[in-house]
Short mmCIF file of all heavy atoms in Angstrom, two decimals:
data_model
loop_
_atom_site.label_atom_id
_atom_site.label_comp_id
_atom_site.label_asym_id
_atom_site.label_seq_id
_atom_site.Cartn_x
_atom_site.Cartn_y
_atom_site.Cartn_z
N SER A 811 115.43 94.93 82.37
CA SER A 811 116.46 94.08 81.77
C SER A 811 115.82 93.05 80.85
O SER A 811 115.01 92.23 81.29
CB SER A 811 117.25 93.37 82.86
OG SER A 811 117.96 92.26 82.34
N PHE A 813 117.25 90.52 79.56
CA PHE A 813 117.70 89.20 80.02
C PHE A 813 116.81 88.68 81.14
O PHE A 813 116.37 87.53 81.13
CB PHE A 813 119.16 89.28 80.49
CG PHE A 813 119.66 88.01 81.11
CD1 PHE A 813 120.00 86.92 80.33
CD2 PHE A 813 119.76 87.89 82.50
CE1 PHE A 813 120.45 85.74 80.91
CE2 PHE A 813 120.20 86.73 83.08
CZ PHE A 813 120.56 85.64 82.29
N MET A 814 116.54 89.55 82.15
CA MET A 814 115.71 89.13 83.27
C MET A 814 114.28 88.85 82.83
O MET A 814 113.65 87.88 83.29
CB MET A 814 115.72 90.18 84.37
CG MET A 814 116.98 90.21 85.21
SD MET A 814 117.32 88.63 86.03
CE MET A 814 115.87 88.42 87.06
N LEU A 817 114.22 85.44 81.21
CA LEU A 817 114.38 84.36 82.18
C LEU A 817 113.10 84.16 82.99
O LEU A 817 112.61 83.03 83.15
CB LEU A 817 115.53 84.67 83.13
CG LEU A 817 115.74 83.65 84.24
CD1 LEU A 817 116.33 82.37 83.69
CD2 LEU A 817 116.62 84.21 85.34
N LYS A 906 117.12 88.46 94.07
CA LYS A 906 117.90 87.94 92.96
C LYS A 906 119.32 87.63 93.43
O LYS A 906 119.90 88.41 94.19
CB LYS A 906 117.95 88.96 91.81
CG LYS A 906 116.59 89.23 91.20
CD LYS A 906 116.68 90.17 90.00
CE LYS A 906 116.83 91.60 90.44
NZ LYS A 906 116.69 92.57 89.32
N PRO A 907 119.90 86.51 92.97
CA PRO A 907 121.30 86.23 93.31
C PRO A 907 122.21 87.33 92.79
O PRO A 907 121.87 88.04 91.84
CB PRO A 907 121.59 84.91 92.61
CG PRO A 907 120.25 84.31 92.32
CD PRO A 907 119.32 85.47 92.13
N VAL A 908 123.35 87.48 93.44
CA VAL A 908 124.34 88.44 92.95
C VAL A 908 124.87 87.95 91.62
O VAL A 908 125.22 86.78 91.47
CB VAL A 908 125.49 88.59 93.96
CG1 VAL A 908 126.55 89.54 93.42
CG2 VAL A 908 124.97 89.08 95.30
N GLY A 909 124.91 88.84 90.63
CA GLY A 909 125.38 88.45 89.30
C GLY A 909 124.23 88.05 88.41
O GLY A 909 123.08 87.96 88.83
N SER A 910 124.53 87.79 87.16
CA SER A 910 123.49 87.47 86.17
C SER A 910 123.81 86.19 85.41
O SER A 910 123.54 86.08 84.22
CB SER A 910 123.34 88.64 85.18
OG SER A 910 122.99 89.82 85.84
N ILE A 911 124.42 85.23 86.11
CA ILE A 911 124.73 83.96 85.47
C ILE A 911 123.48 83.10 85.49
O ILE A 911 122.86 82.91 86.53
CB ILE A 911 125.89 83.26 86.22
CG1 ILE A 911 127.12 84.16 86.23
CG2 ILE A 911 126.20 81.92 85.58
CD1 ILE A 911 128.23 83.68 87.12
N ALA A 912 123.11 82.57 84.34
CA ALA A 912 121.84 81.85 84.20
C ALA A 912 121.64 80.76 85.24
O ALA A 912 120.57 80.67 85.84
CB ALA A 912 121.71 81.29 82.78
N PRO A 913 122.64 79.88 85.51
CA PRO A 913 122.40 78.84 86.52
C PRO A 913 122.07 79.42 87.89
O PRO A 913 121.24 78.87 88.62
CB PRO A 913 123.73 78.08 86.55
CG PRO A 913 124.33 78.30 85.21
CD PRO A 913 123.94 79.70 84.83
N GLU A 914 122.71 80.54 88.27
CA GLU A 914 122.41 81.16 89.56
C GLU A 914 120.98 81.70 89.56
O GLU A 914 120.25 81.57 90.54
CB GLU A 914 123.39 82.29 89.84
CG GLU A 914 124.81 81.82 90.13
CD GLU A 914 125.73 82.98 90.46
OE1 GLU A 914 125.29 84.13 90.36
OE2 GLU A 914 126.89 82.71 90.82
N LEU A 915 120.59 82.32 88.46
CA LEU A 915 119.25 82.87 88.39
C LEU A 915 118.19 81.77 88.34
O LEU A 915 117.09 81.93 88.86
CB LEU A 915 119.14 83.79 87.17
CG LEU A 915 120.00 85.06 87.27
CD1 LEU A 915 120.07 85.76 85.93
CD2 LEU A 915 119.45 86.01 88.31
#
Side-chain angles (χ1 to χ4, degrees):
S811 162
F813 174 77
M814 284 302 299
L817 177 72
K906 296 184 282 190
V908 177
S910 301
I911 302 170
E914 291 182 354
L915 293 168

